[in-house]
Amino acid sequence: MSLCGWALLYIALISWINQTEATKKSVSTSVVGMLELVQLEADLIDSLSTYADELEAKLKVLKSFVPKLQAESNEAVTQMENYVSNPINSFSLIRRMHEDWHDWKIFMESSIGQSQVAFLNKAKLQFPTKTDLNEASSSIVRLQKMYNLTAKDMARGVLNGKQYEASLTALDTYAMGRYLNKQNRDMAREWFVVTSELLKEQTPLTPLAGEREKVLHLFAQAIFDYEYYSIALSVFDHALLLANKTANPTLLSKRSKFEELARKEAEVVEKTNSKIKPSEFEIGCRGQFKQQSKLLCEYKSELSPFLQLAPVKVEEVFLDPLIMVFHDVLTSREIDELQQIARPLLKRTTILHNSGVETVHSSRIAKGTWLTRDFNNLTLRIERRIMDMVDLELSGSEDLQIMNYGIGGHFEPHYDYFEPDDLDEGDNNRLATLLFYLTDVEQGGATVFPVLQQAVSPKRGAALFWYNINANGSVDPKSFHGGCPVLVGSKWIMTQWISNNIS
Ligand SMILES: *[C@@H]1O[C@H](CO)[C@@H](O)[C@H](O)[C@H]1NC(C)=O
Ligand SMILES: *[C@@H]1O[C@H](CO)[C@@H](O)[C@H](O)[C@H]1NC(C)=O
Ligand SMILES: *[C@@H]1O[C@H](CO)[C@@H](O)[C@H](O)[C@H]1NC(C)=O
Ligand SMILES: *[C@@H]1O[C@H](CO)[C@@H](O)[C@H](O)[C@H]1NC(C)=O
């Protein structure tokens, strides 16, 4: 979206809505939201295991009774007339037919796993929705583009050159291909190629899949239907090889159809992300801005009596406009308490449009909550500390905002200030922003100022400060900034926007 486009949105004024479907779920938008899913899946697997036990018990009954029934029946069949001429046999046969088969019918009809199915039905209410899956898919795409990652590396758990204990299955990569098919066929192709490679190594874990050969044929057909012919052909060929059916005439005639289309398939234009020139934001997020020597790192004590007692380590990142990092301004215990307070309150963040309508928007993927500064002694203490640190008054400023970002969670570059035209007379604007990092982030999640070519990485306990408004009162477009997608980690931040208190 262009900068002008952004001006249409009060994107900096973040709030949340209570009741809409979109905000209720939205599991992938924060790491906290994902925790429940992990537990739910574990419970479902337990339930499936119980289901297997019950099936096994039923099977045991059958396996032990059927041979005995067969023995009796074999005897009768081989000497039929002789068998029924004995009153004992014929009585028994009549009784069996009248009674026992009725019971077998009941036995066969008795269904296994009613309670497990009921549990599954209840659990379904908490399952991620299609929207959740689409959001998670789009996060993967965002990470791929932002950090120039290949589908192959991602599928194998290699993120930015680092190997993680994580990997995707053929079903996962296939879902990515399907998601991308309509919007970016080059990227979709890349995911389908990985899918075909994975299918050759593993059988997907799905109850509906059945035997390996059948699975390969199903995937070959599906990928064919999406019109990625050469990939479909390679999966198809693997199925033929695997089942030693390279000479089967029916399959061969189908293969020649695949092959013909694969041959006609336009030479794949190798147009990958790597050839697209990255934006300044992307360069910043990748950590590729020219390294500037640190301007200054000092213990700041002159501002207030508090700082004379407890000087704060300050790093000046940029001078015009002033950007600084205060190190170690929140203790680990304080951060733990803030997270504990915020955790149950987190809701999907929305964007407030000029019209006053709030919507969930892909430009900001996170969950957050607001906290008044007089919420408790801790927030009061933080309020005091902020005023000491930056030597600015907080009266008239917005509440504290706490945020947690999930997979690919990010905030596209934006201004924190409001355009003067959008403000009523006497309205405050956001003079400065103080952004506390509550966590380290293993990979990604930097705060990037594309115009100034500055990137600051999250550091637990540190706070980033910058001015959005010039000394003469005009807004400063150089304060344009964004939060890079989180690649690995759970990013927590707390923001205090500081008003130019003109009232
Ligand atoms: C494959 O099938 C052919 C005959 O159709 C047979 O001669 C050959 O031994 C089979 N190979 C394998 C590996 O089963
Ligand atoms: C992106 O990654 C590819 C390798 O996967 C590399 O060849 C290319 O130069 C990278 N592009 C940029 C802009 O770093
Ligand atoms: C908050 O601080 C006040 C004054 O220092 C103290 O009296 C009160 O007990 C504290 N409250 C809590 C919950 O710690
Ligand atoms: C305000 O200051 C900025 C930067 O110092 C300058 O670019 C801008 O032109 C000034 N605006 C006015 C209205 O003086």
Side-chain angles (χ1 to χ4, degrees), residues 415-453:
Y415 307 106
D416 276 3
Y417 58 72
F418 305 110
E419 291 295 341
D421 290 348
D422 293 331
L423 288 174
D424 290 331
E425 209 170 308
D427 279 355
N428 290 341
N429 207 340
R430 287 167 171 169
L431 171 66
T433 303
L434 185 62
L435 190 157
F436 292 92
Y437 297 111
L438 305 186
T439 50
D440 297 320
V441 178
E442 192 172 324
Q443 288 207 58
T447 307
V448 163
F449 298 83
V451 182
L452 306 172
Q453 303 211 340

Side-chain angles (χ1 to χ4, degrees), residues 241-247:
L241 267 178
L242 194 84
N244 194 17
K245 284 187 182 158
T246 42

Side-chain angles (χ1 to χ4, degrees), residues 16 39 56 59 126 139 184 196 206 240 242 291 349 459:
W16 65 93
Q39 185 56 52
E56 198 170 33
L59 195 62
Q126 295 173 60
S139 291
N184 186 331
S196 81
T206 159
L240 293 187
L242 194 84
Q291 282 290 321
T349 45
K459 181 86 182 52

Side-chain angles (χ1 to χ4, degrees), residues 142-205:
R142 184 179 317 118
L143 290 174
Q144 229 189 317
K145 288 181 175 163
M146 182 62 75
Y147 297 112
N148 188 27
L149 309 173
T150 64
K152 184 170 179 169
D153 277 352
M154 289 193 101
R156 302 197 187 269
V158 178
L159 300 175
N160 255 351
K162 188 166 172 198
Q163 176 71 60
Y164 288 88
E165 284 225 5
S167 56
L168 298 177
T169 66
L171 288 175
D172 298 329
T173 56
Y174 176 69
M176 284 304 302
R178 232 175 28 204
Y179 171 78
L180 279 160
N181 177 50
K182 284 238 171 73
Q183 35 174 300
N184 186 331
R185 278 186 65 89
D186 289 323
M187 286 185 84
R189 173 173 287 107
E190 200 192 341
W191 282 102
F192 281 136
V193 166
V194 176
T195 306
S196 81
E197 284 164 9
L198 289 176
L199 282 171
K200 291 169 194 173
E201 296 167 12
Q202 47 173 250
T203 306
L205 270 181

Side-chain angles (χ1 to χ4, degrees), residues 22-54:
T23 52
K24 205 174 74 201
K25 293 262 186 65
S26 197
V27 289
S28 80
T29 51
S30 80
V31 166
V32 171
M34 293 294 296
L35 298 178
E36 291 165 24
L37 280 190
V38 175
Q39 185 56 52
L40 184 61
E41 193 185 38
D43 294 345
L44 283 166
I45 292 168
D46 277 349
S47 164
L48 199 58
S49 164
T50 312
Y51 179 68
D53 291 345
E54 288 183 13

Side-chain angles (χ1 to χ4, degrees), residues 17-27 125 348 367:
I17 11 175
N18 274 328
Q19 271 106 18
T20 73
E21 179 63 22
T23 52
K24 205 174 74 201
K25 293 262 186 65
S26 197
V27 289
L125 299 175
R348 174 74 191 268
K367 283 188 175 177

Side-chain angles (χ1 to χ4, degrees), residues 148 150 274 276 278 286 288:
N148 188 27
T150 64
S274 53
I276 297 166
R286 293 176 190 176
Q288 291 169 346

